[in-house]
Amino acid sequence: MESLLKVKQAGIAAWAALRELSGDDAFERYLQHHAVAHPGEAPLDRTAFFREEQKRKWDGVRRCC
Amino acid sequence: MTTATPIAFATRYLMWPLIALLGAGALGGIAFNRGESINSLWLIVAAICVYALGYRFYSAFIAAKVLALDATRATPAERLADGRDFIPTHRWIVFGHHFAAIAGPGPLVGPTLAAQFGYLPGTLWILIGAVLGGCVQDFVILFCSIRRNGRSLGQMARDELGAIGGAAALVGVLAIMIILIAVLGLVVVNAMRHSPWATSTVAATIPIAMLIGLYMRNIRPGRVIEGSLLGFSLLLLAVFGGQWIDASETLRTWFDYDGPPLALMIIVYGFIAAVLPVWLLLAPRDYLSTFMKIGTIFLLAMAILVLRPELQMPALTQFIDGTGPVFGGKIFPFVFITIACGAISGFHALISSGTTPKLLMNEKDARFIGYGAMAMESFVAIMAMIAACVLEPGIYFAINSPAGLVGAQAAQAVATISGWGYPVTVEQMQTLAQQMGESSLFARTGGAPSLAVGMASIFASAFGSSLLAVWYHFAIMFEALFILTTVDAGTRVARFMLQDLLGNIVPAMGRTSWYPSVFLCSGLVVLGWGYFLYNGTIDPLGGINSLWPLFGIANQMLAAIALCVATAIIVKSGRARYAWVTAAPLVWLVIVTSAAAWEKLFSPELRIGFLVHADDLKAQIASGSITGDAVAQTERLIFNDQLDAALTAFFLIVSWIVVIETARICLAFLRGKQTPAVSETPYEPTQLAEG
């Protein structure tokens, strides 16, 4: 039982890592940051956030040879 | 040590000596083996031991003594946290981002080309160059940038070396971009030449990327994993579907092109990609290529470990004397120029400054991320070397030798190559081409086709041999996908830099969203690399012969600039006694790039010296041995030689200016004179708990 729980936890951790690596959870992280850093202000919605994010992310050297 | 159990004792005192012994044994086995073929496992064991020792001891020494990493110091990610650029991130996640950003086609192509010297020279330089050079550069630049709020290499060069060093760095980066994109474009063109299957698959990656772009923007905003998986399935379908296009008599003619028209298509594509909004093409393509890259590299590592194929290539070939068909030039300095990214790459300094330093949660993670990720990239280069060397040498040379050198007729080419002592037959090449689903594999220069043949044979033996042709085109698609990502992203970056430069003269040009400026600057950048790419496809010596060394020289020169910045910072931080850590690889790089540039300029060998080749062509026109239409084309070749020579001289001069500036500033500092101050941000303690 305990080992099964461990497997489950490892699976959850791996999924979280994959989401963070790929940027899949960027919006959730943004909401978290926003709630702490700018309380009271309305955050961007998912679509608007993702549009901003992509525009900003590509202004510079991102990839190598 | 409190509890001395036997196992704890063994790991503490015996593990590292054993790793050292194992590594030394494997290296010795590789170096002194002659005459009989050697198993690829030797290379893998040697590589892993060398990286482990380098990481455990040398990087620890650099972290503790040279840079004095301070775990209590707040990083820019913590101090400037904005939830976007500056985000304190777990070290494994940053490692993943950083590795994905530095690993590109360079470490795959370079070793494939360098295999013409045999497996030994390239392998040794990949290992030594990485552990003492490339990993150190990435680590030190990452550290320097962390201590400067994530400033870029160009900004640090200006701050630490003054205006001249800064300007040289900026112009150098722009020039490298142009050559890099041209040579990578040539690699893709050579992989698609007269191959409807490869061309249609690569073409399909464009609408697939756009579809995913639309999906992630409008249908399911920000669902990156979903979008990538969908795109990945479509890519596999495109690889599979390519064979039906190839089999159809009418469809295949739509995708069957020679080099020059393919080059023009890539040029048009590059321009469109640079002006389209990023979300539509560039961003989704990058997601897809990152998934593919990590996945395929992992698959290749697994397959090599499972299969442990024998290397067919000898340790050394006679081509160390400079007569090699893949590219002209002796083992010194050209093996060090050719390997480029697998050992040390100046381009990494651009990623290590700017993007990655804004993510580190703790300064001490810089060792794992900077040094560790480069060790992993170097391992990718070792795998590419293995994939090239498991091919029979005759086949390797038949694929990689330009027709202008070994003969355009198959019978002629095999006779030349067999005459070198690497037997190969026309039937053998035909069977191979048929197995790979190609019409011919002769003279497919650039490294991508031979790497794909090597990877396909490894994958097919490990995971099922019936799919050889599909694996081959999968490998081609995998290479083309991230080469085109580099073409898109590189054009865009070069465009920003050009807009920035021109903005100093005409302010409106600097506005990155002003369309006349966007079109003009994108057009200029595309024309720049497009010129070299197009001429590479009509060059009778295959283009790679002149462009790849030019790229190698440029890339190593950028590494030299990065190491100059690093050395100046170490000296000015009062640690001049440890400056050899970056100064030693710097001196080596300056020797290697200067020697290579000198040879490319003044060597009397026609295939090496640009100027002597131009003179030879001039003499041929003067003597009347070239007549008619060929005269105009030859005059163009003469101009190209002169242009390449001018560029080489430019690289040489820029790197020497930076080196002399660095030496001047370091000496001035040591004599107590006025120098640009160290621009490190002041210490602030971290508030974050140990992660």
Side-chain angles (χ1 to χ4, degrees), chain B residues 154-293:
Chain B
Q155 290 168 323
M156 289 197 288
R158 202 165 42 229
D159 293 347
E160 304 291 337
L161 301 176
I164 298 177
L170 187 69
V171 178
V173 172
L174 194 60
I176 289 169
M177 286 288 188
I178 302 285
I179 296 296
L180 170 74
I181 299 172
V183 75
L184 290 179
L186 189 57
V187 169
V188 179
V189 164
N190 284 350
M192 298 195 294
R193 194 154 44 89
H194 290 303
S195 169
W197 189 343
T199 310
S200 62
T201 306
V202 174
T205 64
I206 299 167
I208 291 173
M210 290 177 147
L211 196 71
I212 302 308
L214 284 165
Y215 182 87
M216 290 201 292
R217 183 181 173 88
N218 293 329
I219 304 174
R220 297 271 290 161
R223 305 288 180 188
V224 173
I225 296 181
E226 250 174 59
S228 300
L229 286 177
L230 180 67
F232 177 68
S233 345
L234 290 173
L235 286 176
L236 287 188
L237 199 68
V239 172
F240 235 88
Q243 59 186 315
W244 301 319
I245 289 177
D246 194 35
S248 150
E249 279 306 316
T250 41
L251 280 180
R252 78 190 308 275
T253 55
W254 298 3
F255 295 100
D256 189 358
Y257 296 102
D258 199 12
L262 282 171
L264 291 177
M265 286 179 222
I266 298 233
I267 290 166
V268 172
Y269 162 78
F271 179 76
I272 295 174
V275 296
L276 278 184
V278 281
W279 62 266
L280 187 57
L281 188 58
L282 183 51
R285 184 189 271 293
D286 186 60
Y287 283 121
L288 291 178
S289 76
T290 308
F291 265 76
M292 287 290 295
K293 186 162 64 188

Side-chain angles (χ1 to χ4, degrees), chain B residues 401-424:
Chain B
S401 304
L405 203 78
V406 292
Q409 299 305 318
Q412 209 182 344
V414 295
T416 315
I417 293 163
S418 301
W420 291 328
Y422 303 111
V424 60

Side-chain angles (χ1 to χ4, degrees), chain A residues 13 15-30 33-34 37-38 44 46-65, chain B residues 81-85 89 93 96-97 100-102 104-107 180 216-218 221-225 278-279 282-283 286-287 290 341 345 347-348 350-351 355 486 493 496:
Chain A
W15 176 242
L18 181 66
R19 291 197 66 208
E20 196 176 347
L21 260 177
S22 60
D24 203 57
D25 66 348
F27 183 61
E28 283 111 281
R29 275 188 284 152
Y30 160 75
H33 170 84
H34 195 90
H38 315 281
L44 297 172
R46 183 179 260 282
T47 313
F49 167 76
F50 194 63
R51 282 179 190 192
E52 277 287 295
E53 181 74 2
Q54 278 205 325
K55 217 181 346 174
R56 190 189 52 84
K57 230 171 108 173
W58 284 97
D59 280 8
V61 184
R62 300 274 307 167
R63 286 289 177 259
C64 183
C65 44
Chain B
D82 61 0
R84 299 186 151 193
D85 284 321
T89 310
I93 305 287
H97 278 299
I102 62 171
L180 170 74
M216 290 201 292
R217 183 181 173 88
N218 293 329
R223 305 288 180 188
V224 173
I225 296 181
V278 281
W279 62 266
L282 183 51
D286 186 60
Y287 283 121
T290 308
C341 310
S345 165
F347 225 93
H348 294 184
L350 302 180
I351 310 290
T355 319
T486 307
V493 169
F496 285 137

Side-chain angles (χ1 to χ4, degrees), chain B residues 125 176 331-338 340 344-346 548-561 563-564 585-602 610 647-656 659:
Chain B
W125 173 237
I176 289 169
I331 187 167
F332 178 87
F334 286 98
V335 74
F336 307 101
I337 293 297
T338 310
I344 178 165
S345 165
W548 190 266
L550 212 51
F551 158 65
I553 290 171
N555 194 18
Q556 308 302 77
M557 180 201 78
L558 188 58
I561 294 176
L563 288 169
C564 279
L586 171 61
V587 168
W588 176 246
L589 280 188
V590 171
I591 292 173
V592 165
T593 40
S594 301
W598 194 261
E599 283 202 31
K600 290 309 287 182
L601 284 171
F602 303 118
F610 288 129
L647 215 57
T648 309
F650 171 76
F651 288 150
L652 193 62
I653 291 166
V654 168
S655 44
W656 274 98
V659 168

